[in-house]
Amino acid sequence: MSWPRRYTVVSLCFFALFICYVDRVNISVAAIVMAEQFDWSDTQKGFVLSSFFIGYMLAMAVAGWLSARYGAKKVLGFALIWWSFFTFVTPFAAYASFGVLIAARVAMGLGEAATVPASYGMFARWVPEPERARSVSFFISGIPLGTLFGLVATGWIVAEFDWPVAFYTFGLLGLLWAPLWYLLVYDAPHQHPRISEYELEHVTNMASTEEQKHVFPWRSFVRLPAFWALLINHFCSNMVLYISLAWLPSYFRDAQGLSISGAGLYSAAPWLSMFLMTNVGGWLADRMMAGGVSTSNVRKIMQIIGLLGGATFLLFLQDAQDSTEALLLMCAVLGIASFTVSGFGANPLDISPRHAAVLVGISNTVGTVPGIVGVALTGYLLDVTGTYDSVFVMVAAINVIGAVIWLVFSSGERLVE
């Protein structure tokens, strides 16, 4: 039997997200040196780290619409080349002025905004329902793996060379991916000249064989409690993700007294935990569904475990006695939090596969707010309190609120055709 073409689609979407997070996270390590060189306060560093999310949030819903209107393949291919360029020019922007650096980070965010909605648009056409949780989990595991690689590699590059080299190196990475994407991927299964008849029959989602609508049925969605539960839980789930992305190296450097390379290395380990547990969660969710557990109950179970488990370990983190204990607790936080990928993360493909690309764009717009508010607020809290404890309590409380809302209002049924 030939290699299933849908595996190629999912794999290349995974690598796109991997590159996305390598390019996104390198500044978290480089900013430690950049802050010293350019004499930034923690508040200014917070603005640098959060500015990316302004562009990311502004373009998210538009990227979903463009993917549905013009094809996810075109949108994602162009977007990756765009953000790779702005990754490459980041050092030039930083030396020009603080404002130019902020503008470059915003522009980079505009490009990366297409990654998730365009990929979901591909999945809606290519991934059959029994494989959704595994496929989405594998795709999303590009976040921790890209973060892991980015942190370790950036820490080494900064220590051995200089911080601009990290941006030059990773800015070129997307150019290796783009030719494969354009040569091997097609927007829909029936367009692929080498897909087998067996696979074409196997991919049975309505959205995989029909053209997606370009008019998003707003009225149908805004009346659904499950729609609002999805938006709120995307926000809550992303709070720990984005604060960890931006501030974890600084936490290990400032609170635990590690070197820059040590902070990068310690910051990488929790993302390895998240990578492994994201795929475990996807496998577990699909196994529960295969065993007869309803989709709604599976989504509730996975989301609540992720949020409440993450909140618990965050509160324990306040009492960490040394860097080793802090590392183990952060591994637990991100590992258990990854179960939310099989909760809210797969949910757009449940409630409306036909509109998944736009729905994810809207959801991820709300989910990007923590990247702006949470990351910047963390810098402010550190300047005011001098400790990360208030940050841990804030994130834990948000997790609990999200878990309650998800338990009451979420649904795994198809609600909008």
Side-chain angles (χ1 to χ4, degrees):
M1 184 178 296
S2 62
W3 169 263
R5 304 301 172 177
R6 66 186 183 279
Y7 292 177
T8 300
V9 172
V10 173
S11 297
L12 285 174
C13 286
F14 163 84
F15 281 112
L17 194 60
F18 172 88
I19 296 168
C20 175
Y21 273 78
V22 170
D23 289 347
R24 185 184 307 190
V25 80
N26 56 11
I27 200 168
S28 300
V29 176
I32 298 174
V33 179
M34 294 169 72
E36 296 174 354
Q37 180 175 337
F38 297 112
D39 196 26
W40 296 338
S41 67
D42 278 333
T43 300
Q44 286 179 300
K45 185 162 72 170
F47 285 144
V48 171
L49 295 174
S50 65
S51 58
F52 162 90
F53 295 101
I54 296 173
Y56 192 68
M57 182 178 70
L58 290 175
M60 191 67 62
V62 175
W65 179 83
L66 288 172
S67 297
R69 177 67 178 83
Y70 296 106
K73 175 185 175 179
K74 292 179 182 178
V75 171
L76 184 52
F78 174 80
L80 194 140
I81 295 172
W82 169 281
W83 89 62
S84 296
F85 168 78
F86 282 101
T87 298
F88 187 88
V89 301
T90 295
F92 301 99
Y95 282 114
S97 72
F98 187 80
V100 174
L101 174 61
I102 296 296
R105 296 296 296 174
V106 172
M108 180 181 167
L110 291 172
E112 289 202 6
T115 312
V116 174
S119 295
Y120 270 75
M122 298 298 296
F123 289 1
R125 294 167 178 258
W126 279 93
V127 178
E129 186 172 359
E131 299 177 9
R132 281 180 188 162
R134 292 195 302 276
S135 297
V136 170
S137 294
F138 176 68
F139 167 65
I140 296 296
S141 69
I143 294 176
L145 196 63
T147 303
L148 168 68
F149 178 81
L151 289 170
V152 174
T154 303
W156 178 77
I157 290 172
V158 171
E160 294 295 323
F161 302 99
D162 198 2
W163 65 266
V165 178
F167 294 98
Y168 301 149
T169 302
F170 298 141
L172 296 173
L173 190 60
L175 299 179
L176 300 177
W177 173 93
L180 296 175
W181 179 255
Y182 284 112
L183 288 173
L184 300 178
V185 168
Y186 292 80
D187 268 310
H190 67 274
Q191 296 174 352
H192 202 299
R194 294 178 298 279
I195 191 171
S196 67
E197 290 295 329
Y198 172 81
E199 184 175 13
L200 196 58
E201 293 178 4
H202 185 60
V203 182
T204 56
N205 287 330
M206 183 189 306
S208 68
T209 55
E210 298 179 11
E211 290 299 315
Q212 294 180 329
K213 294 180 180 178
H214 301 146
V215 178
F216 188 76
W218 282 101
R219 290 185 179 181
S220 298
F221 278 104
V222 297
R223 295 171 181 171
L224 295 174
F227 171 72
W228 296 105
L230 174 63
L231 300 191
I232 293 169
N233 269 261
H234 204 147
F235 174 93
C236 296
S237 300
N238 276 10
M239 185 64 77
V240 67
L241 172 68
Y242 287 142
I243 289 178
S244 297
L245 279 170
W247 285 101
L248 204 52
S250 296
Y251 168 74
F252 281 114
R253 170 72 183 274
D254 301 335
Q256 301 300 331
L258 300 179
S259 65
I260 294 177
S261 58
L265 187 61
Y266 266 59
S267 300
W271 300 105
L272 177 60
S273 171
M274 188 178 186
F275 168 74
L276 295 173
M277 294 306 295
T278 297
N279 287 286
V280 169
W283 173 84
L284 180 61
D286 281 346
R287 282 296 298 268
M288 284 193 289
M289 290 177 62
V293 182
S294 71
T295 303
S296 292
N297 285 336
V298 170
R299 300 292 179 244
K300 289 179 188 290
I301 291 169
M302 302 303 288
Q303 183 72 10
I304 290 170
I305 288 175
L307 288 177
L308 296 186
T312 300
F313 287 114
L314 276 170
L315 295 178
F316 288 157
L317 194 57
Q318 297 177 89
D319 300 319
Q321 299 299 310
D322 53 40
S323 59
T324 300
E325 185 177 352
L327 174 63
L328 293 175
L329 286 170
M330 276 307 307
C331 286
V333 169
L334 291 182
I336 197 71
S338 69
F339 276 34
T340 62
V341 174
S342 297
F344 89 90
N347 198 231
L349 292 169
D350 299 325
I351 63 179
S352 185
R354 183 187 296 274
H355 300 287
V358 181
L359 181 57
V360 169
I362 296 167
S363 175
N364 215 7
T365 300
V366 177
T368 302
V369 175
I372 301 171
V373 177
V375 172
L377 181 60
T378 297
Y380 172 77
L381 289 173
L382 290 174
D383 274 338
V384 171
T385 68
T387 176
Y388 284 84
D389 288 354
S390 57
V391 179
F392 298 149
V393 172
M394 174 187 70
V395 177
I398 290 171
N399 277 16
V400 172
I401 293 170
V404 172
I405 292 173
W406 190 258
L407 178 64
V408 177
F409 297 110
S410 69
S411 172
E413 303 301 318
R414 181 172 296 189
L415 302 177
V416 178
E417 295 294 342

